[in-house]
Amino acid sequence: MNEGIITRVNGPIVEARNMERAGMLEVVEVGTEHLIGEVIRVRRGGLATIQVYENTSGLKPGETVYCTGRQLSVKLGPGLLGTIYDGIQRPLDRIAELSGAMIRRGEKTEPLDMSKKWHFVPTVNPGDELKPGVVYGEIQETDSIKLKLIVPPSQKPTRVKTIVPEGDYAGEETLLVAENNDTLGFYQYWPVRKPRPVIARKQLTTPLLTGLRVIDAFFPIAKGGAAAIPGGFGTGKTMTQQALAKWSDADIIVYIGCGERGNEMTEVLREFPELVDPRSGRSLMERTILIANTSNMPVAAREVSIYTGITLAEYYRDMGYHVAIMADSTSRWAEALRELSGRLEEMPADEGFPAYLPTRLASFYERAGFVETMSGDSGSVSVIGAVSPPGGDFSEPVTQHTSRFIRCFWALDRALANARHYPAISWHDSYSEYLIEIAGWWGQQDAEWKAHRDLLMEVLQEEVGLQRIAKLIGPDALPDHQRLTLLVADIIKNAFLQQNSFDEIDMYCSPGKQTWMLRLLATFTERSQNLIRKGAMLADINAITALPRLLRMKSEIPNDDKTAMANLEQQISSALDAIESNLR
Amino acid sequence: MKVAGLEYRGVSSIDGPLVFIDNIRDIAYDELVEITTPTGDVRLGQVLDVTASAAVVQVFGGTVGLSQEKTKARFLGSALKIPVSKDMLGRVFDGLGRPKDGLPEPLTADRRDVNGMPVNPYSREYPRDFIQTGISSIDLMNTLVRGQKLPIFSGNGLPHNRMAAQIARQAKLLSEEVEFSIVFAAMGVKYDVARFFIDSFERSGVLHNVAMFLSLADDPSAERLVTPRSALTLAEYLAFDLGMHVLVIITDMSNYCEALREIATARGEIPSRKGYPGYLYSDLASMYERAGRLRGGAGSITQMPILTMPSDDISHPIPDLTGYITEGQIVLERDMHQRGIYPPVAGLPSLSRLMKDGIGKGRTRDDHPRVASQLFAAYSKVKDIRSLASVIGEEELSPVDKLYLKFGAEFENKVVSQGEFEDRPIQRTLEIGWEVLKILPRSELLRVSEEELAKYYDEAVTIKSKK
């Protein structure tokens, strides 16, 4: 093994000499405690710069650096689901057993439980062709997820010589021997900074249903899409991310807590096992992988944590699953880059961020996609990144560069959050470019979905302008049809956009209920606009006794209660009929 | 093993709080250094950057009087550690944990690294025990729970100290009889501020239960960087080793950040926003995250840092980054203060993130979450209507809008405003909340449920009419 000698220690950045044979991005172990690090710069004279993923307090020049000869990789195989890892895939539950409540540095553990036996079902026979993408076996990892063992992309094409029969196997046991004597087991490694290969990328046509009305109806994201949630502190980024992790219709969720609060990860750990996935009926934790690099954990591991997360996501995508990955927050990741770049004394660009920030952001968001996998399945990775702009100012570099690489922008609004209107996604500043692509899918649920949605959106946009006038002359000075717009916009906001994530019914809104609500609100809007035009008074519409019920339908009508829906629809429509007949 | 106490004579350069020492060997990153001045004073320092033969040392005691030739440096072989013991309650220390009250060093062999170690998120217990502070604007609208980190964003001249003292005095749990022990850290504040806290603790008879770490305005700036860490190290010992419930009050974080900027500038680091170093976020997090509860452990650390926002600007990097790390913020508002409202807790920008799990059924009262949400919604509308009224005049407002204005005034006078020594139970606070809500027509209250309206709104009206 190659060894080097430390010449300088400056926080997480360590310099070493005698490193002629160390490669770029090679993993090294630093000092007597074997702290994990990565070579990030190689210079003339055998000098190398290393970023260390653990606290370097007490490290001395003169100590040894041990090269490992491999790149920073994750271990892939059964047992990932339901686990919480740190940024370099060390399982935090195992670490807690080993070093107690505080994380001791230099701790090393297997990412996956190697003693656990898995029930292996072979899917190839001796003599079959063996090449990348071939599924050679299956494991029921959890009740809802079947893990496919896929021949890794690096495998040279050959044939199967022997394969073990169906049965329980554990750890590093060899499952398959190829004719060229290569062996395959449960596990494989993959370098985190390298995207896993696919056959082709496909068009995005299916929505990632989130159960959040403002997203699904107004700013939808497609499966395989990329979205950003920018917002100042306290506007509900984490709340929105957690709601998405809970209710979106992905098969697997990878949740990365990147430089955020420890208690937030604890909350997920405590809450998810108790929550039930509305589709599979299983505990949400069974489909979730957590990556935690909280704000007090070493900063270099923060930089790598989002690559670790997305590599795990791609692994499941390759089996034909739809994976959604939440990165909270990409700003902390960018700041980690800035901190390391500063210590490397690189020339800064915008606000001290390194000039390669946009490149790195692009390479992360571009790993999202709906693909045809090496085994011919369809799978997707959707990426949702939170952005924490300093002072809530969206003109800062991370928000600006991010918005170039995503197509769905959910801007969180301070005023909405202050009024405790959650999710505080602004209908004024947000956008989704996926709308057109997935309107077809919604059209199959309700042919007029797009028309309803557009009508309500128009009212909301019109209201923004009217509010400006109303602020100058008072709303009462406006003509009735404009005051109707204000009233209807208010109803849309309260009845549809605002959603209470603690309410048993309202926390998740099914697509069926959403299309119904949209239809009801759109019909109400259209008919009352007509009535006003024909001479009805705004007061008549305001006096409709069913209005409070309309406002409470989100929390009082369960997702599948067709009778209650028809009932309310009937009440609203007869009230409008009554006003209409009085006009004649 | 290195020979502990190897002494080097002479330093190569001195720049602000930093000293550069050449021709050394076998020195570790973060190691503690004892600097002896030409006149024989001993000051402590810490290694910030080290190569095989040179080190950059940050001197906590300041570099005044140091010279190139006659300064001596002794490397102590470990990072800065402070003694920890239960006997430290009732005592006063400097930022480095040395007695400042004229009494001897605490008797203990237990010394802890002030930097602590990161808590494994897996080992945390999610905080959800409601703390009743007796202050309605906190209990009702921005509830504090045990193990939370909730800062006070204030401005110069606002009563943040009085408020912090009131919280320290009144904080209690409803479910059990436990006293909070208090660890108090002061960085760069004036002597009278420290005195105010000492007097306040003395008056309420809790001084024996308070440990103070003071690095006052005239103490060297580098010491401020260690002060909160020393305090938190003791707090962690009390909470996680001894199972006590600790309330940590840190004032003033803005002074801490200024000191950090000073050191960073002296090192010639690339500044990010407003000259603060790019790692300000990580640095603040390394302190704020030292709050919470551990799974299976009895104790807790509740943190209440105070910071004064430079020119009341909440988007300044110090409050901004703090707000991204802490679990909410209590924002004090100058306008309310000028109108004589105490405590001047701003209604809208204040927030407690852990509130949702600490209140409601079985904790405070069933209707609490929805009442709070309704008050927020209504008060936010008040703000809109006030700005409308300032343009078109109050007379022109619709009848409902006028009710909102009345609600706003009552909310500020009855719910927010209270006496500095008034300890309001949560039940009473909720009653007052409903009392002011009933100013608004029933149809405006959409955030509370029908049953709650029937139970409290209709009832509240009758109570009022009896009076």
Side-chain angles (χ1 to χ4, degrees):
Chain A
M1 195 189 272
N2 294 322
E3 288 180 6
I5 295 166
I6 299 178
T7 55
R8 180 180 176 193
V9 185
N10 176 8
I13 298 293
V14 167
E15 286 173 14
R17 59 186 167 84
N18 291 8
M19 297 286 284
E20 290 85 354
R21 295 162 89 178
M24 262 307 261
L25 299 185
E26 177 173 339
V27 172
V28 292
E29 293 181 2
V30 179
T32 44
E33 285 183 90
H34 290 260
L35 309 177
I36 307 273
E38 193 179 8
V39 176
I40 51 170
R41 189 154 71 186
V42 180
R43 279 183 299 155
R44 201 183 322 182
L47 295 177
T49 307
I50 299 159
Q51 71 179 15
V52 179
Y53 293 124
E54 297 175 81
N55 185 352
T56 52
S57 180
L59 204 62
K60 286 178 190 168
E63 288 184 30
T64 312
V65 175
Y66 307 88
C67 301
T68 62
R70 60 183 173 83
Q71 286 178 37
L72 193 67
S73 304
V74 287
K75 189 168 192 173
L76 302 169
L80 290 167
L81 294 175
T83 313
I84 176 167
Y85 290 109
D86 76 352
I88 46 176
Q89 214 204 3
R90 291 183 299 186
L92 287 170
D93 50 348
R94 288 276 300 138
I95 298 262
E97 279 168 32
L98 290 170
S99 64
M102 309 289 180
I103 301 175
R104 202 167 44 216
R105 61 201 182 144
E107 204 72 79
K108 293 200 178 43
T109 56
E110 272 291 334
L112 297 162
D113 183 355
M114 302 306 283
S115 61
K116 178 159 181 176
K117 288 207 178 250
W118 295 97
H119 189 77
F120 171 76
V121 182
T123 49
V124 290
N125 295 309
D128 284 357
E129 195 186 14
L130 197 68
K131 62 170 191 184
V134 169
V135 179
Y136 59 91
E138 288 177 345
I139 299 167
Q140 197 70 42
E141 187 178 354
T142 69
D143 284 319
S144 45
I145 300 291
K146 185 177 271 179
L147 186 116
K148 292 178 186 164
L149 296 170
I150 299 173
V151 178
S154 55
Q155 179 68 47
K156 291 196 185 68
T158 170
R159 287 183 183 281
V160 180
K161 196 203 272 172
T162 59
I163 185 158
V164 295
E166 179 175 343
D168 294 343
Y169 302 91
E172 305 286 14
E173 279 178 82
T174 299
L175 302 172
L176 182 149
V177 181
E179 278 182 354
N180 64 359
N181 289 330
D182 285 346
T183 59
L184 291 171
F186 282 133
Y187 304 101
Q188 47 176 285
Y189 288 90
W190 188 264
V192 295
R193 296 185 199 274
K194 190 171 157 194
R196 286 172 66 86
V198 296
I199 299 279
R201 285 166 161 262
K202 296 191 189 173
Q203 248 213 315
L204 312 179
T205 50
T206 335
L208 179 75
L209 297 173
T210 64
L212 292 180
R213 289 182 294 265
V214 58
I215 291 179
D216 287 351
F218 289 111
F219 310 106
I221 176 173
K223 284 206 171 83
I229 314 181
F233 66 81
T235 49
K237 289 181 299 299
T238 303
M239 298 258 289
T240 312
Q241 290 268 31
Q242 287 191 1
L244 292 171
K246 284 175 198 165
W247 310 122
S248 58
D249 72 335
D251 301 309
I252 311 264
I253 301 287
V254 178
Y255 193 100
I256 310 170
C258 177
E260 291 288 305
R261 306 175 185 86
N263 276 334
E264 281 168 2
M265 299 315 285
T266 314
E267 186 183 5
V268 174
L269 274 177
R270 183 185 58 93
E271 195 177 25
F272 275 34
E274 288 164 23
L275 288 171
V276 174
D277 182 351
R279 279 159 294 263
S280 70
R282 309 286 314 172
S283 148
L284 277 181
M285 199 62 205
E286 281 186 15
R287 65 164 196 179
T288 308
I289 303 173
L290 294 175
I291 313 267
N293 178 280
T294 58
S295 55
N296 56 342
M297 285 159 82
V299 68
R302 191 165 310 155
E303 192 267 322
V304 80
S305 62
I306 71 164
Y307 296 107
T308 301
I310 202 153
T311 309
L312 298 182
E314 285 176 345
Y315 174 63
Y316 283 96
R317 174 203 67 191
D318 289 349
M319 298 170 207
Y321 289 114
H322 297 290
V323 189
I325 162 167
M326 324 283 158
D328 185 14
S329 146
T330 57
S331 292
R332 304 297 161 232
W333 170 79
E335 280 161 17
L337 278 184
R338 174 169 72 186
E339 178 171 344
L340 295 167
S341 159
R343 296 211 189 243
L344 291 170
E345 288 157 13
E346 291 171 340
M347 189 67 104
D350 282 0
E351 300 218 12
F353 286 105
Y356 47 79
L357 173 69
T359 322
R360 297 283 181 92
L361 280 169
S363 69
F364 170 65
Y365 283 106
E366 210 33 40
R367 286 172 82 167
F370 198 108
V371 303
E372 185 185 342
T373 68
M374 299 289 284
S375 354
D377 290 322
S378 290
S380 72
V381 173
S382 316
V383 176
I384 298 161
V387 183
S388 321
D393 171 12
F394 292 172
S395 66
E396 57 91 39
V398 183
T399 317
Q400 282 308 311
H401 290 310
T402 302
S403 54
R404 290 160 47 200
F405 309 119
I406 46 106
R407 294 180 60 208
C408 197
F409 190 81
W410 298 323
L412 297 181
D413 185 85
R414 164 75 57 195
L416 289 177
N418 279 349
R420 303 311 192 251
H421 173 116
Y422 291 120
I425 295 174
S426 157
W427 44 90
H428 197 233
D429 302 326
S430 306
Y431 59 82
S432 167
E433 294 175 20
Y434 300 113
L435 180 63
I436 309 298
E437 278 136 294
I438 62 166
W441 186 92
W442 280 102
Q444 289 166 6
Q445 319 299 312
D446 181 342
E448 286 167 291
W449 178 84
K450 181 81 169 40
H452 293 156
R453 177 218 169 263
D454 288 350
L455 174 69
L456 298 189
M457 192 66 183
E458 201 185 303
V459 172
L460 287 171
Q461 298 306 327
E462 205 183 318
E463 188 239 4
V464 177
L466 288 178
Q467 281 293 5
R468 247 175 251 144
I469 306 171
K471 280 207 172 103
L472 289 178
I473 59 170
D476 290 344
L478 294 175
D480 262 12
H481 73 272
Q482 294 193 332
R483 283 171 62 205
L484 176 75
T485 304
L486 295 183
L487 172 75
V488 172
D490 220 44
I491 293 175
I492 300 173
K493 283 187 233 169
N494 283 304
F496 193 80
L497 296 174
Q498 201 219 357
Q499 200 165 347
N500 183 348
S501 55
F502 305 112
D503 186 283
E504 286 288 315
I505 294 174
D506 198 25
M507 53 166 58
Y508 168 75
C509 193
S510 69
K513 185 174 169 187
Q514 286 192 34
T515 47
W516 170 76
M517 287 173 84
L518 274 178
R519 170 175 290 273
L520 182 59
L521 288 169
T523 320
F524 174 78
T525 309
E526 229 161 22
R527 288 199 61 190
S528 34
Q529 280 171 347
N530 271 332
L531 287 173
I532 296 279
R533 224 170 285 139
K534 286 184 192 159
M537 305 291 285
L538 183 68
D540 299 334
I541 291 171
N542 240 331
I544 296 177
T545 47
L547 270 191
R549 288 201 54 211
L550 183 70
L551 288 168
R552 289 179 195 275
M553 64 182 170
K554 59 182 181 180
S555 54
E556 286 180 355
I557 300 183
N559 278 320
D560 45 8
D561 193 343
K562 292 269 187 304
T563 342
M565 291 183 193
N567 200 337
L568 177 60
E569 220 172 316
Q570 174 59 34
Q571 283 185 11
I572 298 282
S573 124
S574 49
L576 291 168
D577 288 345
I579 300 175
E580 192 160 9
S581 58
N582 280 345
L583 282 180
R584 292 192 191 120
Chain B
M1 274 306 288
K2 83 179 279 163
V3 190
L6 192 58
E7 199 169 65
Y8 295 91
R9 182 179 282 271
V11 299
S12 58
S13 58
I14 303 168
D15 185 356
L18 302 181
V19 168
F20 300 77
I21 307 176
D22 284 343
N23 299 322
I24 49 153
R25 48 182 273 275
D26 210 20
I27 302 303
Y29 176 70
D30 234 11
E31 189 171 336
L32 194 63
V33 192
E34 218 176 68
I35 305 273
T36 312
T37 67
T39 51
D41 284 353
V42 176
R43 293 176 195 166
L44 287 178
Q46 182 186 14
V47 176
L48 290 187
D49 192 347
V50 60
T51 67
S53 64
V56 180
V57 175
Q58 155 188 335
V59 186
F60 297 128
T63 48
V64 179
L66 295 187
S67 67
Q68 271 180 310
E69 241 176 45
K70 288 196 168 164
T71 302
K72 285 179 276 186
R74 197 152 61 128
F75 291 84
L76 300 179
S78 71
L80 179 62
K81 291 182 175 174
I82 65 155
V84 288
S85 134
K86 200 180 169 182
D87 300 335
M88 290 172 76
L89 288 170
R91 301 277 312 268
V92 182
F93 303 90
D94 72 358
L96 304 174
R98 294 174 299 200
K100 215 175 179 172
D101 50 6
L103 297 170
E105 281 258 344
L107 257 180
T108 173
D110 205 349
R111 299 179 78 85
R112 300 274 168 99
D113 186 337
V114 292
N115 291 311
M117 284 192 287
V119 175
N120 189 334
Y122 182 80
S123 306
R124 281 183 187 268
E125 184 71 54
Y126 192 70
R128 51 186 317 174
D129 298 326
F130 169 71
I131 295 179
Q132 179 178 299
T133 63
I135 298 177
S136 296
S137 46
I138 295 181
D139 291 353
L140 179 61
M141 312 281 287
N142 306 289
T143 316
L144 178 67
V145 300
R146 195 160 64 175
Q148 184 173 13
K149 38 189 181 292
L150 188 64
I152 299 180
F153 286 10
S154 184
N156 295 317
L158 295 181
H160 43 268
N161 293 327
R162 278 157 62 198
M163 199 174 155
Q166 185 175 7
I167 292 169
R169 198 161 54 228
Q170 297 179 173
K172 63 172 163 288
L173 290 178
L174 291 187
S175 47
E176 34 186 317
E177 266 313 294
V178 209
E179 214 180 320
F180 280 96
S181 299
I182 296 165
V183 174
F184 178 83
M187 295 94 71
V189 301
K190 294 183 66 63
Y191 174 77
D192 355 341
V193 173
R195 190 72 241 170
F196 165 79
F197 276 100
I198 295 175
D199 286 348
S200 152
F201 293 142
E202 203 163 21
R203 259 205 311 273
S204 47
V206 294
L207 198 57
H208 67 279
N209 210 5
V210 182
M212 305 190 104
F213 292 82
L214 305 180
S215 164
L216 299 178
D218 55 352
D219 288 327
S221 65
E223 190 182 314
R224 283 172 209 157
L225 298 182
V226 193
T227 310
R229 296 192 162 82
S230 301
L232 287 164
T233 305
L234 176 65
E236 277 178 345
Y237 171 78
L238 296 175
F240 302 144
D241 285 43
L242 305 183
M244 299 166 71
H245 295 287
V246 188
L247 176 65
V248 183
I249 298 176
I250 306 177
T251 182
D252 171 335
M253 285 309 291
S254 305
N255 296 336
Y256 172 89
C257 296
E258 298 300 335
L260 194 71
R261 176 164 70 176
E262 189 181 328
I263 306 270
T265 313
R267 289 178 70 183
E269 287 175 2
I270 295 164
S272 70
R273 261 203 312 159
K274 296 216 169 172
Y276 293 94
Y279 50 81
L280 181 61
Y281 179 85
S282 308
D283 191 272
L284 288 173
S286 71
M287 288 176 292
Y288 293 146
E289 277 290 317
R290 292 169 81 176
R293 305 189 55 188
L294 296 185
R295 197 182 281 198
S300 67
I301 298 179
T302 309
Q303 239 189 67
M304 184 160 278
I306 298 172
L307 59 90
T308 45
M309 299 181 278
S311 59
D312 294 353
D313 175 11
I314 199 171
S315 65
H316 184 279
I318 300 172
D320 192 48
L321 294 179
T322 299
Y324 275 121
I325 306 164
T326 53
E327 285 141 349
Q329 64 277 341
I330 304 287
V331 184
L332 302 191
E333 193 178 283
R334 194 167 296 278
D335 172 54
M336 281 169 95
H337 176 62
Q338 304 293 33
R339 284 191 279 138
I341 296 171
Y342 173 90
V345 175
L348 302 180
S350 301
L351 169 75
S352 164
R353 292 166 191 268
L354 300 185
M355 171 170 177
K356 58 188 187 334
D357 292 304
I359 60 171
K361 201 171 181 177
R363 297 186 176 270
T364 52
R365 207 168 79 179
D366 293 20
D367 56 324
H368 188 166
R370 282 172 299 276
V371 172
S373 170
Q374 181 65 67
L375 285 167
F376 273 120
Y379 191 58
S380 125
K381 202 152 176 182
V382 169
K383 294 271 174 174
D384 287 345
I385 294 171
R386 277 185 187 161
S387 62
L388 176 64
S390 69
V391 178
I392 62 168
E394 230 170 272
E395 283 307 306
E396 297 297 315
L397 294 176
S398 70
V400 175
D401 285 357
K402 281 182 186 155
L403 287 178
Y404 266 105
L405 280 190
K406 186 170 171 221
F407 160 82
E410 291 283 280
F411 175 77
E412 284 168 4
N413 290 327
K414 286 190 172 163
V415 178
V416 178
S417 177
Q418 70 182 88
E420 197 179 334
F421 292 90
E422 182 183 356
D423 189 356
R424 242 184 234 163
I426 180 68
Q427 301 298 338
R428 176 71 197 127
T429 296
L430 283 164
E431 270 171 36
I432 303 175
W434 275 106
E435 235 168 74
V436 296
L437 276 181
K438 78 143 249 320
I439 296 172
L440 297 173
R442 209 173 190 277
S443 57
E444 290 291 309
L445 307 181
L446 289 171
R447 302 270 176 101
V448 285
S449 73
E450 271 300 328
E451 298 92 80
E452 283 156 0
L453 281 172
K455 189 168 172 191
Y456 300 106
Y457 184 86
D458 304 337
E459 189 185 275
V461 176
T462 49
I463 288 177
K464 185 78 186 230
S465 58
K466 261 185 233 161
K467 283 177 190 169

